[in-house]
Amino acid sequence: MKKNKPKYKLIIDAAVEVIAENGYHASQVSKIAKKAGVADGTIYLYFKNKEDILVSVFEEKMGQFIEQIATAIDQKSNANEKLLTLIEMHFSQLAKDHHLAIVTQLELRQSNIDLRLQINKVLKPYLMVIDSIINEGIEQNIFRDDLNKKLVRQMIFGTLDETVTNWVMKEEKYELVSLAPSVHALITNGLSTR
Amino acid sequence: MKKNKPKYKLIIDAAVEVIAENGYHASQVSKIAKKAGVADGTIYLYFKNKEDILVSVFEEKMGQFIEQIATAIDQKSNANEKLLTLIEMHFSQLAKDHHLAIVTQLELRQSNIDLRLQINKVLKPYLMVIDSIINEGIEQNIFRDDLNKKLVRQMIFGTLDETVTNWVMKEEKYELVSLAPSVHALITNGLSTR
Amino acid sequence: MKKNKPKYKLIIDAAVEVIAENGYHASQVSKIAKKAGVADGTIYLYFKNKEDILVSVFEEKMGQFIEQIATAIDQKSNANEKLLTLIEMHFSQLAKDHHLAIVTQLELRQSNIDLRLQINKVLKPYLMVIDSIINEGIEQNIFRDDLNKKLVRQMIFGTLDETVTNWVMKEEKYELVSLAPSVHALITNGLSTR
Amino acid sequence: MKKNKPKYKLIIDAAVEVIAENGYHASQVSKIAKKAGVADGTIYLYFKNKEDILVSVFEEKMGQFIEQIATAIDQKSNANEKLLTLIEMHFSQLAKDHHLAIVTQLELRQSNIDLRLQINKVLKPYLMVIDSIINEGIEQNIFRDDLNKKLVRQMIFGTLDETVTNWVMKEEKYELVSLAPSVHALITNGLSTR
DNA sequence: CATGAATGAGGGTTCATTCAT
DNA sequence: TATGAATGAACCCTCATTCAT
C-alpha cells in the first residue's frame, strides 16, 4: 500500500505547501518534488499524474478533517450540540492550518471541472455527516419536520463555506472559531424575531 | 466610451457563449474573436487583456443582474418580502439563462485569485443590497437585532450560491425557482422547532 | 495554400539540414525553427505537428525527385534506355544533395512505423514509374514476359536503395553515378554467363 | 562467459518478443526484464546498456541465421545451387519466425545510426558468404567475370531484403519461400530476353 | 548474484499578445 | 479602426541507469 510509505505523505504535505505559497496554477510538479526532497520522477511512483496528486491531497486532508469531526460529534447526544460541534470543528481545523485553509478555500477551486467532480466525491462523506445531524434533529423533535432536507444541508454547508472563504480572503484578520455560536444560532433560529 | 460601441457587446456575449460551451480553460481569445466575428487583434482595442474580458463579462452581466433585483425589491415594502423577492430573482435570472448560470457558478471560479478578487469587487453592490435588506428588517423589527450582520449576509449569500451551484451541477434537472419559498423560510425561521 | 508561402519552404529546407546534421532523434522542433529563422510557434502555423514536418519533407523532396525522373524518362523511347535513365537520375539526384541523401537513406528510416507507412505512400508514385518501365519493356519484347512483375520491381528498387545506402554509409567516398551502367547491366543481364 | 548463463538467453528471447509485440520505441528495459522474469537491475549484470541488448539480440539470432545458411550451402557443389539455397534459407528462416521477421525487417531499423553501424558489423559474415558464392561462381565460369563484385553483393542483398520487407509489411499474406526460384532466376538471368 | 526504488535530464506544443499593414 | 501572421515562454512526464541492501 503506497499510502503508508513515508514518501507518499512527504509529497502530499509538500503539495499543500507549494500550492498555498505559489497558487494553484504556478504549482509545478518539479516545485513539489523539490519541496518534498525527492526527484521529479519519484512523484510518479506514487501518483498517476499531477491531477492525482491534487485529488490525493484533498482525500488525505479531508479524510482527517471528517474523521476529527465525526469523532467529536459522537460524544454529543443531541442534534443541536452536534451541529454546534460540527461548526466549531469545521472552523477550528481550518483556523489552525493556514496552508490547508488557503488550499481548500481558494486554490483547489481553480481546478477544472473533472477534478472538481472528483473533489465533490471526496466531500460526500462530510455532507452525509451533516445529513445525519439533520435527521437526528428531526427525530429528536429539535428540528422542524417540514424541511426540505437537501436545502437544509446546502444552507449549512454554504454558510460555513462562505464564512470561511470570507475569513481567508480577509487574510484571516479576525478570530474564526469564536463565530461558531453566532453561526449556529443563525442556522437554528433564523433571522426572524418571534 | 468603449462600452457603448457595438463590438464591445458583441465580444462580451461571445465570451459568455464560448466559456459556457468550452469551459474556462478551453476558452482561447481566438475562439472568442471568431464567435464575435472580429479579428483576434480587435479584441485588444476594447479590452486590456484576457482577464479584462472576463471581469467585464462579470461586470456587464452582474450589473443587469443586480439592477433587476434592486428594481423588483423597491416595489416591496417590508424586509421579509424583499428577501423573498431577492431569492426569487436570484434564482429566476440564473434559471432562465443557462449559459450565464454555468459561467458564474462553475467556470469563472476556475480563475486565479487576482481575477477572483476583482470579481468580488463587482459583487460588492449585490452584497450591499443584501445588507440593506438586513438593516431594514432590523429597523422594522422583523429581524432580530442581536445579529452579527456580516455573518447574516454570508449565510444568505452562501446559501443561495450553494443552492444554485448544486442545481447547476445536477444539470438543472429540477425547478430552481420553486425552491425560493423554502429557502426563505429556512433563512428567516431557522431549523428549530419553537 | 500554405505550401506556396515562403516560410513553408524555409522550414522544409531547415528540417532537411537539421536532420542531416544532428540525426533524426536529435532534431528538435526548436532547432528546425532556429535554422529556418522563425519562432518555434510559427512552425505550427504550417505543420500540424513534428511528424507532419517529416512527412512533408519527404513529400516535397520526393515529389521533385520523381518529377525529374519522370521528365527525363519521357524523352527516351525504349525500356532499356528508360531504366538506365532512371538509375542515373536516382543516383545523380542523391549524389548532388548530400543532406537529402543522408536524410532519406539513414535518418528517416528511424521513424516509427506509422510514419514509415506514410512515407511508403509517398513512395508509391516512384514504384509506379518503375512498374510502367517494366510493362513497357515486356510489350517491346525487350524484357522477358515470364517475370513476376512485383518481384522485378522489388529487385530494382532494392538494388538501387541498397547501393545508395552503402555509398552514404561509406561517407560517399566514391563516385555513385558512374556505377549506373554496371547496375543497369546487372539488372538486365543478370549474373550468368550465356 | 556470460553468454552461456541461462539468464542471458532468457533476456535475449524476452527482448525479441517484447520488441515484436510492442515495437522498437515502446520496448522499455523494464518490459524486457518483466517478460524475462528478472529484476530491471539484473539486465545490467549481463548487458552494458540497452543498445547492447539490441546488438546482442541481432548477434545471437543472426549467428544462428548465418550458420544455418552456411551449413546448407556447404552441401551444394556449384554456385548456382548455392545461391538458390541461400535465397531459400534466407526466406524460410524468416518465414518460420514471425517475431524475428518483424524485429529484423521493421523494428531494429528504427535504431540510431551508431546501433545500425554495429548491426552492419554483425551482418558482415553474411555478406561474406554472399561474396564467396559470387567468387565461386566466377571461378566455375557460371557467373560472368566482368562484374563489379561489390555491386553484385548489393544487388543480391538489396533484392532479398526488399522482398522480405514487402512481405512483412503486407502482413505476410502470401507464401514467401515459394518466391525463391523466381528471385534466383531474376538475379542470375536478369530482365532481358536473349 | 539479484533486487527494485529512486533518479533527473530532456522536448513537443499551446496560446495570449503584438505590430506592420 | 481593423486585421491576423508571427512570436516565444513555459511544463508534465518517461524511462535508461544506478546503487544500497
Side-chain angles (χ1 to χ4, degrees):
Chain A
M1 184 59 169
K2 288 195 165 157
K3 303 203 175 188
N4 298 322
K5 304 236 177 129
K7 298 209 172 166
Y8 181 86
K9 284 199 175 314
L10 223 49
I11 294 166
I12 291 278
D13 289 337
V16 174
E17 274 193 71
V18 168
I19 295 171
E21 285 168 9
N22 301 277
Y24 180 81
H25 286 113
S27 293
Q28 299 93 330
V29 172
S30 59
K31 265 185 197 157
I32 297 174
K34 193 170 209 173
K35 176 86 77 178
V38 301
D40 290 15
T42 305
I43 300 266
Y44 293 88
L45 297 176
Y46 295 89
F47 302 91
K48 263 205 324 289
N49 49 34
K50 186 178 179 180
E51 184 169 313
D52 189 28
I53 307 177
L54 302 173
V55 173
S56 301
V57 162
F58 205 75
E59 275 175 0
E60 286 292 312
K61 297 299 179 181
M62 219 47 205
Q64 296 168 21
F65 184 92
I66 295 170
E67 210 170 336
Q68 294 281 325
I69 293 179
T71 304
I73 282 175
D74 274 353
Q75 296 162 8
K76 305 294 172 177
S77 58
N78 80 58
N80 244 332
E81 287 182 349
K82 288 189 176 183
L83 181 57
L84 177 59
T85 303
L86 177 132
I87 297 170
E88 286 172 343
M89 293 291 295
H90 187 132
F91 286 179
S92 67
Q93 291 196 75
L94 291 170
K96 82 177 171 214
D97 190 339
H98 176 58
H99 283 162
L100 186 63
I102 291 175
V103 170
T104 60
Q105 301 304 124
L106 302 183
E107 301 302 343
L108 279 185
R109 317 236 164 163
Q110 299 171 47
S111 57
N112 63 43
I113 290 182
D114 279 351
L115 181 48
R116 294 258 289 290
L117 288 172
Q118 288 196 263
I119 285 179
N120 278 350
K121 243 182 246 163
V122 179
L123 220 51
K124 203 79 182 273
Y126 186 49
L127 300 181
M128 286 170 67
V129 169
I130 297 179
D131 284 346
S132 72
I133 296 178
I134 296 168
N135 283 322
E136 199 172 323
I138 293 172
E139 279 169 27
Q140 294 171 342
N141 205 28
I142 293 172
F143 296 160
R144 292 152 53 194
D145 60 2
D146 62 341
L147 301 167
N148 176 332
K149 294 185 200 168
K150 192 178 160 198
L151 269 188
V152 172
R153 183 228 293 157
Q154 289 169 15
M155 176 184 71
I156 294 172
F157 184 80
T159 300
L160 299 187
D161 192 57
E162 181 72 14
T163 304
V164 177
T165 298
N166 269 271
W167 172 78
V168 174
M169 280 202 155
K170 283 274 188 296
E171 290 173 336
E172 314 179 0
K173 289 275 197 306
Y174 49 89
E175 231 311 300
L176 180 63
V177 185
S178 62
L179 297 178
S182 303
V183 172
H184 178 257
L186 261 181
I187 289 172
T188 52
N189 299 326
L191 308 179
S192 299
T193 51
R194 304 304 164 116
Chain B
M1 183 57 168
K2 283 191 173 163
K3 304 204 176 189
N4 298 320
K5 302 252 174 113
K7 293 201 177 170
Y8 180 86
K9 282 199 175 316
L10 225 47
I11 294 166
I12 291 280
D13 288 337
V16 175
E17 273 192 71
V18 168
I19 296 171
E21 286 169 6
N22 302 279
Y24 182 82
H25 285 111
S27 294
Q28 299 90 337
V29 173
S30 59
K31 259 188 202 157
I32 297 173
K34 191 169 209 176
K35 174 87 78 179
V38 301
D40 291 15
T42 305
I43 299 265
Y44 291 86
L45 300 174
Y46 294 90
F47 300 91
K48 262 206 329 286
N49 49 34
K50 186 179 179 181
E51 184 169 312
D52 190 26
I53 307 175
L54 301 174
V55 173
S56 301
V57 162
F58 207 74
E59 273 175 1
E60 287 291 313
K61 297 300 178 184
M62 221 45 206
Q64 298 166 21
F65 185 91
I66 295 171
E67 210 170 333
Q68 293 279 325
I69 293 179
T71 304
I73 283 175
D74 273 352
Q75 295 163 7
K76 307 293 174 178
S77 58
N78 80 57
N80 245 331
E81 288 182 351
K82 288 189 177 184
L83 181 56
L84 177 58
T85 302
L86 178 133
I87 297 169
E88 286 171 343
M89 294 291 296
H90 188 132
F91 286 179
S92 68
Q93 291 196 73
L94 291 170
K96 81 178 172 212
D97 191 339
H98 177 59
H99 282 166
L100 187 63
I102 290 175
V103 170
T104 61
Q105 302 304 124
L106 302 184
E107 301 300 342
L108 280 184
R109 317 235 162 162
Q110 298 173 48
S111 57
N112 63 42
I113 288 179
D114 281 349
L115 181 48
R116 296 259 288 290
L117 287 171
Q118 287 196 262
I119 285 179
N120 278 349
K121 248 182 241 162
V122 179
L123 222 49
K124 204 78 182 270
Y126 185 50
L127 300 180
M128 287 171 65
V129 169
I130 297 177
D131 284 346
S132 71
I133 295 176
I134 297 168
N135 282 322
E136 202 174 322
I138 292 173
E139 281 169 25
Q140 292 172 343
N141 205 30
I142 292 171
F143 296 160
R144 293 151 53 194
D145 61 1
D146 61 342
L147 301 167
N148 176 332
K149 292 186 202 170
K150 193 179 160 197
L151 267 190
V152 173
R153 184 228 292 156
Q154 288 169 14
M155 176 184 70
I156 294 174
F157 185 79
T159 300
L160 299 187
D161 193 56
E162 179 73 12
T163 304
V164 176
T165 297
N166 268 271
W167 172 78
V168 173
M169 281 202 154
K170 283 274 189 294
E171 289 174 335
E172 313 180 359
K173 288 275 198 308
Y174 49 89
E175 233 309 298
L176 180 62
V177 185
S178 63
L179 296 179
S182 302
V183 173
H184 178 258
L186 260 183
I187 290 173
T188 52
N189 299 326
L191 306 180
S192 298
T193 50
R194 304 297 165 122
Chain C
M1 184 61 169
K2 285 193 168 157
K3 303 204 175 188
N4 298 321
K5 302 236 177 131
K7 297 207 173 168
Y8 180 86
K9 283 198 175 313
L10 223 50
I11 294 166
I12 291 278
D13 288 337
V16 175
E17 275 192 68
V18 169
I19 295 171
E21 286 169 7
N22 301 278
Y24 181 83
H25 286 112
S27 292
Q28 300 93 332
V29 171
S30 60
K31 265 186 198 156
I32 297 174
K34 194 170 208 174
K35 174 86 76 178
V38 301
D40 291 15
T42 304
I43 299 266
Y44 291 87
L45 297 175
Y46 295 90
F47 301 91
K48 269 205 321 289
N49 50 35
K50 187 178 179 182
E51 183 169 314
D52 190 28
I53 307 176
L54 302 174
V55 173
S56 301
V57 162
F58 206 75
E59 274 175 0
E60 287 291 314
K61 297 300 179 184
M62 219 45 206
Q64 297 167 23
F65 185 91
I66 295 171
E67 212 170 333
Q68 294 280 325
I69 292 179
T71 304
I73 283 176
D74 274 351
Q75 295 163 7
K76 307 293 173 177
S77 57
N78 79 58
N80 245 333
E81 288 182 351
K82 286 189 177 184
L83 181 57
L84 177 58
T85 303
L86 179 132
I87 296 170
E88 286 171 343
M89 294 290 297
H90 187 132
F91 286 178
S92 69
Q93 291 197 74
L94 291 169
K96 80 177 174 214
D97 191 339
H98 176 59
H99 283 163
L100 187 63
I102 292 175
V103 170
T104 60
Q105 301 305 123
L106 302 184
E107 301 301 343
L108 279 185
R109 318 236 163 162
Q110 300 173 47
S111 58
N112 63 44
I113 289 182
D114 280 350
L115 181 47
R116 294 257 291 288
L117 288 172
Q118 288 196 261
I119 285 179
N120 278 349
K121 247 184 239 161
V122 179
L123 220 51
K124 204 77 182 272
Y126 186 49
L127 301 181
M128 286 170 67
V129 168
I130 297 178
D131 284 346
S132 70
I133 294 178
I134 296 168
N135 283 321
E136 204 175 320
I138 293 172
E139 279 169 26
Q140 293 172 342
N141 205 29
I142 293 173
F143 295 161
R144 292 154 52 198
D145 61 1
D146 61 342
L147 302 166
N148 177 331
K149 295 185 198 170
K150 196 178 158 197
L151 268 189
V152 173
R153 184 226 293 156
Q154 287 169 14
M155 176 185 67
I156 295 174
F157 184 80
T159 300
L160 300 187
D161 194 57
E162 180 71 13
T163 304
V164 177
T165 298
N166 268 271
W167 171 77
V168 173
M169 281 203 155
K170 284 275 188 295
E171 290 174 337
E172 313 178 2
K173 288 274 198 307
Y174 50 88
E175 233 312 298
L176 180 62
V177 185
S178 61
L179 296 178
S182 303
V183 172
H184 177 257
L186 261 183
I187 290 174
T188 52
N189 299 326
L191 307 181
S192 300
T193 51
R194 303 298 165 122
Chain D
M1 184 58 171
K2 282 188 173 164
K3 302 202 177 191
N4 299 321
K5 302 251 175 118
K7 291 199 179 172
Y8 180 86
K9 282 200 176 312
L10 224 47
I11 294 166
I12 291 280
D13 288 336
V16 175
E17 274 192 69
V18 168
I19 296 172
E21 285 169 8
N22 302 278
Y24 182 81
H25 286 111
S27 293
Q28 300 89 336
V29 172
S30 59
K31 261 187 201 156
I32 297 174
K34 193 170 206 173
K35 174 88 75 178
V38 302
D40 291 15
T42 304
I43 299 266
Y44 291 86
L45 299 174
Y46 294 90
F47 301 91
K48 261 206 329 288
N49 50 32
K50 187 180 179 179
E51 187 170 310
D52 189 27
I53 307 175
L54 301 174
V55 172
S56 302
V57 161
F58 206 74
E59 274 175 1
E60 287 292 314
K61 296 299 177 182
M62 222 42 207
Q64 298 167 20
F65 184 91
I66 296 170
E67 209 169 333
Q68 293 281 325
I69 292 179
T71 305
I73 282 174
D74 274 353
Q75 296 164 5
K76 306 292 172 179
S77 56
N78 80 60
N80 244 332
E81 286 181 353
K82 287 189 177 182
L83 180 56
L84 177 58
T85 302
L86 177 132
I87 298 170
E88 285 170 343
M89 294 292 294
H90 188 131
F91 286 178
S92 68
Q93 290 196 73
L94 292 170
K96 81 178 174 213
D97 192 339
H98 177 60
H99 281 166
L100 186 64
I102 290 175
V103 170
T104 61
Q105 303 304 124
L106 303 183
E107 302 302 342
L108 279 184
R109 317 239 162 158
Q110 298 172 50
S111 58
N112 63 44
I113 290 181
D114 281 351
L115 180 47
R116 295 258 289 289
L117 288 171
Q118 289 197 260
I119 284 179
N120 280 347
K121 245 181 244 161
V122 179
L123 222 49
K124 205 76 179 272
Y126 185 49
L127 300 180
M128 287 170 67
V129 168
I130 297 177
D131 284 347
S132 71
I133 294 178
I134 297 168
N135 284 322
E136 200 173 325
I138 292 172
E139 281 169 23
Q140 294 171 342
N141 203 29
I142 293 173
F143 296 162
R144 292 153 53 197
D145 60 2
D146 61 343
L147 300 167
N148 177 330
K149 293 186 203 168
K150 192 178 162 198
L151 268 189
V152 173
R153 183 227 292 156
Q154 287 169 16
M155 177 184 70
I156 294 172
F157 185 79
T159 300
L160 299 188
D161 193 56
E162 180 72 13
T163 303
V164 177
T165 298
N166 268 272
W167 172 78
V168 173
M169 280 204 155
K170 284 273 188 296
E171 289 172 338
E172 314 180 358
K173 288 272 197 309
Y174 49 88
E175 232 311 298
L176 180 62
V177 185
S178 62
L179 296 178
S182 303
V183 172
H184 178 257
L186 262 181
I187 290 174
T188 51
N189 300 324
L191 306 181
S192 300
T193 50
R194 302 299 166 117

